[in-house]
Each structure stands twice: as structure tokens, then as C-alpha cells.
Amino acid sequence: MAQEEPRYQLVKDFILSGINAKQWKEHKRVPSENELVEMCKVSRMTARRALDELTEEGVLYRVQGRGTFVAPKKLHSPLLEIRNIAEEIQNRGSSYSNELILLQKESCPVHLLKHFSLNEGDEVYHSIMVHKEDGKPIQIEQRYVNPTAAPEYLKQDYKSITPNVYLSKVAPLTEAEHQIQAKEADPFMKVTLKLQELEPVLCIDRITWSDTILVSYCQLYHPASRFSLTGRFKTKHQLTEL
Amino acid sequence: MAQEEPRYQLVKDFILSGINAKQWKEHKRVPSENELVEMCKVSRMTARRALDELTEEGVLYRVQGRGTFVAPKKLHSPLLEIRNIAEEIQNRGSSYSNELILLQKESCPVHLLKHFSLNEGDEVYHSIMVHKEDGKPIQIEQRYVNPTAAPEYLKQDYKSITPNVYLSKVAPLTEAEHQIQAKEADPFMKVTLKLQELEPVLCIDRITWSDTILVSYCQLYHPASRFSLTGRFKTKHQLTEL
DNA sequence: CATTTTTGGTTGTATATACAACTCAGTTTA
DNA sequence: TAAACTGAGTTGTATATACAACCAAAAATG
């Protein structure tokens, strides 16, 4: 028969299945090394190896003397973190507000049919809003949302919750794709973002998935004079394919 | 006295110092677990833990039955890899060329003095070049280089080697910082990149270090209509600070 | 001389045991 | 009642031992 998995892998699978079954939620203590010895009939070092690897992978965190706990999930991109814009603005001591310009169901634009795996005539949800800091517009967000992933999208009060936050709840992000471009501002952007003459916009196109379901396609427009993306990286040794 | 380091860490330090001293170059076999047992007076499991961790960190790679080898270095940034533009263009079947517009020593611009830790009147190397694909301009590269890090920068033949490749050799990158912005094109950019009327540019500001030495500050300008940055990310469990 | 077998060395997995350092709840003492 | 102590449980480090699986060079065989 097929080659057996190592026993430490079976312990990892046991822990992961418990987490996936919501048996242990974020920050909950998972069974100790000694408990795993009993439960999985392995040695402590084998149990420990499993917990060590899950820790290395970011699934768990360990505190000497206290236990091993489930780590919270976080989408990790140093440069393009998908953040809660309202929280971000509040965190820098400013006040956040937004202006909802459009929120409706409509036929899926042709250029997005393939993305959403839809046929012509099928519908998606479409929203346009402007995010403001201290009353000043800083970002236009245009978004198409897959009705399958978020059926109640149109019914939310976006004065009290941003689309990102809502979507994170109903269709938690597992994957994202970004494209960054510079673009000429069109008249709508010029007026809405109060751009200067000839000022371009920095555009971020973002597609997000929840498991295998494409959740949303959004475009974020920022005034070029007042917005930039920054990131910092360090060398990392890396194993090449042999 | 100060708390002792764990013995597996001493083994790691031993391996790392050998690599840094060029005793073991890329793909060279480092001492086996049993050799480390003798050399470091530790148990095989302690030696193994050290090698396992260095492998996890990308410093080494291991092949069952063969040995443990030094992994090649690679700067890792999913979205903003610092690549060899000439090679990249060649790899997509096009021909690469460049036009050197400026290459000289000059007083460090005031806004960069702090970056380079220089005083007013000190000098840096300054170069401006246009990178072309099949004869068509696709990128303007303006760069200021720290003479300490690359004393021979001005003496290279940039027809046969790009500044990036040269700098990688003499001052290997260990850290980079990026800033991405959209900008209005100035007349020089319009002409050099053959931009359309009102077409903006995507600007990437990049500062790079080699160990603690700031090596170069460069700005890359791309035509907005013909250039974008893309990236794709997946969810990763991650340990939060406690 | 080519092929097969053997040997020595490597990493991978697993168990047992021991002690150190840490945490926290319960008990004892002042 | 607060502080100190204790005990039980946790993770962290370390060693020893054993066998499995793999690799490559040397030796044996046809």
C-alpha cells in the first residue's frame, strides 16, 4: 500500500483538523505535548516536532510554561496588506467617513464575466464609494462583488461598516491578486478626489478569493500627490530546486 | 554571567561563520551531522536541530543520503523583486539595449545627504539611463550611488552590464525599501519614454543597502500605458505579538 | 570490462529519559 | 488579607539509542 505518512505528520493533521472544525478557535489552547502523547500514541518528541512545525508555519504560537495556542489568521503582504481603511485613518488620529455613490445589482460587465465565471446577462453587485479623512477625499473605491459569495452585500449599512470589513466576515480572504498602475484621471476622478490640473491617479486593481470562490474585483484610485505605497525587504536565503 | 546560548545555536553560529568566511560557498557540502557531533561536542539531535533551523531559514538545503549544502542567496519580494532587466527582456524573446544619458560624480543633492550619511559638498555618483526593449524605451533609471560602496561605479561599461548587476557583485543587496507613486511626466520623460499626451508615469523609488551601508538610491519611471506591477498572495497563519 | 553487490556514510523518523525554565492555581504563613 | 511558598503542569533544551531510506564509491562477480 501507499507509503505511510510520518507520525509527526499525523499529529499535525490531527491539530489542523481540530482547528478547521472550530474545535479550537483563535488564541485557544490546543492539547499539550503530554496530552498529545496520550491522544496520538506517540513520543513527546514526535508530538513536539508536530507542534514546532505548525508554529513555524504560523498556525500556532507557543509560550513556555503556558501552552500552545491557535494563531490568528492574517493575510501577509508586506507591501499590499489589505487593511481596514477606516481603522487605519482612525489610528492616525483622523476621522473617517465615506460617501456612497452607487450600490446596486447590475449585469456583469463583459470584461469581468470570465473572472466571476458568469455568463452574459448574469448579475453582480456594484458599488462605488469615496473614502474620506477629516472630510477630505483620499480614495475612490469601485467594487464588483460576487452575489454567491456575499448575497446580502446590498443590504449593509456602509456608514457603519466598510465593504472590506463586511466581506472579511462573510467570505474570509484566502487569496488576493494585485495590479498597480499609474493612470490619467478622468473627469469623475478629478472632481471626486479634488485633483490638481493634470494630476494622475495611482490605481490598484485587486481581485480577492475566499477558498476557490472569487469574491470581489475592486479598483482603488488615489491622488498621486497624496498617496504612495511603501515597503521594505530583507535578503532571505532560499532553497533552489535541485 | 549572561545567560548561555543554547548549544544548538552555537552550532548554527559555527555553520554561519564558516559560510560568511567563504569556507563553504554556494552548493558546497557543510559538515554532516556526525561530523558536527565531533566538532562541536554535541549530540546528533542537537546538531540536527541546528541544521534543520538553518534549512528552514533558507541558509542550507538537505538531501537525504547525500548531505547538507549551502543554499544560494536570493532577495525575496513577491511584488517588487529586484530583477535583472536585461535578462528579463531577453527571457521574453525581445532584445535589450540601453542608452546612457549621464554618468558622473557630483555633489550629493541636499535631499539625499541624510540617506547617504554625507555632509554638504560630499560627492556621489549619478547616472541616468534609458532601458529599451527592441529599441523602444520602457524605463528611465536615475540612480545615485554611494562611492564608498562601489568606488569603481563610474568606470564600468554599461553597454555590457547593467548598474544593478554590477552593484549586486560589488555590494550584494541585503535590504531594500520601495515607494511606488503615480506622477505627472515632465518634458524630459515625455520625450524620452515617448509618452502620449497627458500620459503619467509610474514611479518606483528604491533604496538599497548592503549590510549596513546604503548603496544606492534610484528612481525608475515607467510609461503608465505600458507598465504595471502585479502580485498574488495567499493567506498565511501568523503569530501575533503577545 | 560491464554489471551487480557490498560497504560506509549520509539524512529522516522515532522513542525514552532527564533536567531547566516558566506559568498558574492552591495552600500556608505572617 | 496580603505575601510567600508549593505543587502540578507547561514548554525548552539536551542526550542516547535504534532503525529506515537514500546515496555513492569500492569491491566482487560474470
Side-chain angles (χ1 to χ4, degrees):
Chain A
M1 74 175 183
Q3 193 165 353
E4 273 182 55
E5 277 196 312
R7 307 198 74 187
Y8 72 82
Q9 185 60 56
L10 299 177
V11 178
K12 287 174 77 175
D13 293 342
F14 172 77
I15 298 289
L16 287 169
S17 69
I19 293 173
N20 287 337
K22 313 294 186 192
Q23 193 176 344
W24 306 304
K25 301 193 176 189
E26 289 184 0
H27 302 295
K28 180 83 169 186
R29 194 179 73 83
V30 302
S32 68
E33 290 171 6
N34 285 338
E35 286 167 337
L36 288 170
V37 164
E38 296 307 312
M39 296 163 91
C40 301
K41 306 303 180 201
V42 293
S43 82
R44 191 188 150 210
M45 291 302 103
T46 300
R48 182 181 179 80
R49 177 170 173 169
L51 295 176
D52 277 348
E53 288 195 9
L54 291 172
T55 300
E56 182 58 49
E57 289 158 21
V59 177
L60 304 175
Y61 64 92
R62 289 159 66 82
V63 184
Q64 182 173 3
R66 281 177 70 201
T68 306
F69 306 88
V70 180
K73 276 185 174 177
K74 201 192 243 173
L75 197 62
H76 185 66
S77 158
L79 189 60
L80 283 166
E81 275 179 12
I82 297 174
R83 297 188 291 265
N84 181 340
I85 189 172
E87 198 173 84
E88 191 175 313
I89 287 171
Q90 282 153 5
N91 283 348
R92 55 181 182 246
S94 307
S95 82
Y96 167 80
S97 63
N98 69 44
E99 177 187 352
L100 188 61
I101 295 176
L102 180 136
L103 180 67
Q104 69 188 23
K105 181 195 293 183
E106 62 187 57
S107 288
C108 186
V110 174
H111 70 289
L112 295 182
L113 285 172
K114 202 166 182 180
H115 281 301
F116 285 110
S117 301
L118 295 177
N119 299 317
E120 253 185 278
D122 287 344
E123 293 175 320
V124 293
Y125 301 145
H126 184 196
S127 60
I128 299 177
M129 73 174 43
V130 187
H131 300 276
K132 299 178 181 182
E133 178 171 2
D134 292 333
K136 186 171 188 175
I138 60 166
Q139 184 192 87
I140 295 173
E141 175 194 305
Q142 169 171 241
R143 186 187 296 268
Y144 293 93
V145 173
N146 184 348
T148 304
E152 309 290 311
Y153 185 76
L154 296 183
K155 294 167 185 167
Q156 305 311 306
D157 172 19
Y158 292 111
K159 283 301 180 191
S160 56
I161 189 172
T162 63
N164 245 359
V165 169
Y166 172 67
L167 290 175
S168 292
K169 287 191 165 81
V170 301
L173 290 185
T174 56
E175 195 163 345
E177 180 175 289
H178 293 88
Q179 192 179 49
I180 303 169
Q181 287 172 296
K183 281 186 175 176
E184 251 186 274
D186 64 24
F188 168 70
M189 296 172 189
K190 287 178 182 175
V191 169
T192 309
L193 292 173
K194 302 185 192 298
L195 302 179
Q196 291 179 341
E197 189 75 3
L198 303 189
E199 181 179 358
V201 290
L202 189 71
C203 175
I204 302 170
D205 286 7
R206 175 186 291 152
I207 307 177
T208 56
W209 286 263
S210 187
D211 288 324
T212 55
I213 299 173
L214 191 152
V215 175
S216 126
Y217 170 85
C218 80
Q219 289 167 299
L220 308 172
Y221 300 95
H222 303 93
S225 62
R226 291 181 267 125
F227 186 83
S228 64
L229 293 164
T230 59
R232 191 160 179 141
F233 310 92
K234 293 199 176 211
T235 306
K236 182 182 178 188
H237 281 75
Q238 201 164 339
L239 183 57
T240 54
E241 297 277 13
L242 280 181
Chain B
M1 68 174 184
Q3 195 164 350
E4 273 181 56
E5 278 197 308
R7 307 199 74 190
Y8 70 82
Q9 185 61 56
L10 298 177
V11 178
K12 288 175 75 176
D13 293 341
F14 172 77
I15 298 290
L16 287 169
S17 68
I19 293 174
N20 287 339
K22 313 294 184 192
Q23 193 176 348
W24 307 302
K25 301 195 175 186
E26 290 183 0
H27 302 294
K28 179 83 171 189
R29 193 181 71 85
V30 301
S32 68
E33 290 171 4
N34 284 338
E35 286 168 338
L36 289 170
V37 164
E38 297 304 313
M39 297 163 88
C40 302
K41 305 304 178 200
V42 292
S43 81
R44 189 189 153 209
M45 290 302 101
T46 302
R48 180 178 181 81
R49 177 171 174 168
L51 295 176
D52 278 347
E53 287 194 10
L54 291 173
T55 300
E56 183 57 51
E57 288 158 24
V59 177
L60 304 173
Y61 63 92
R62 286 156 71 78
V63 184
Q64 184 173 2
R66 282 180 67 198
T68 308
F69 306 86
V70 180
K73 277 186 177 179
K74 199 193 253 172
L75 197 61
H76 184 66
S77 158
L79 188 61
L80 282 166
E81 276 178 12
I82 297 176
R83 300 188 287 266
N84 179 340
I85 188 172
E87 198 175 86
E88 192 178 313
I89 287 170
Q90 281 152 5
N91 283 349
R92 56 181 182 246
S94 305
S95 82
Y96 167 78
S97 60
N98 69 44
E99 179 186 351
L100 187 60
I101 293 178
L102 180 135
L103 182 67
Q104 69 191 19
K105 179 194 295 182
E106 62 190 53
S107 290
C108 186
V110 173
H111 69 287
L112 296 183
L113 285 172
K114 204 167 182 179
H115 281 301
F116 284 109
S117 301
L118 296 177
N119 299 317
E120 254 186 275
D122 287 341
E123 291 174 322
V124 293
Y125 300 144
H126 185 195
S127 61
I128 300 178
M129 73 174 41
V130 186
H131 299 277
K132 299 179 180 181
E133 177 170 2
D134 291 332
K136 185 171 187 172
I138 59 166
Q139 185 192 87
I140 293 173
E141 176 195 304
Q142 169 170 241
R143 189 187 295 268
Y144 293 93
V145 174
N146 184 348
T148 304
E152 309 291 312
Y153 184 76
L154 296 182
K155 296 167 182 165
Q156 305 311 305
D157 172 22
Y158 292 113
K159 283 302 184 193
S160 56
I161 189 173
T162 63
N164 245 357
V165 169
Y166 172 67
L167 290 174
S168 293
K169 287 194 165 77
V170 301
L173 291 185
T174 56
E175 196 163 345
E177 180 175 290
H178 294 87
Q179 192 179 48
I180 302 169
Q181 289 172 294
K183 280 185 175 176
E184 251 186 273
D186 64 24
F188 168 71
M189 296 171 189
K190 287 180 182 178
V191 170
T192 309
L193 291 174
K194 301 184 191 303
L195 301 180
Q196 292 178 341
E197 189 76 3
L198 303 189
E199 182 178 357
V201 291
L202 189 69
C203 175
I204 302 170
D205 286 7
R206 176 185 291 153
I207 307 178
T208 57
W209 287 262
S210 188
D211 289 326
T212 54
I213 299 173
L214 192 152
V215 175
S216 119
Y217 171 81
C218 80
Q219 290 168 299
L220 307 172
Y221 300 96
H222 301 95
S225 63
R226 290 180 269 127
F227 185 84
S228 65
L229 292 164
T230 59
R232 191 164 181 139
F233 311 93
K234 293 196 175 219
T235 307
K236 179 181 178 185
H237 280 76
Q238 198 163 341
L239 182 57
T240 54
E241 297 278 9
L242 282 180

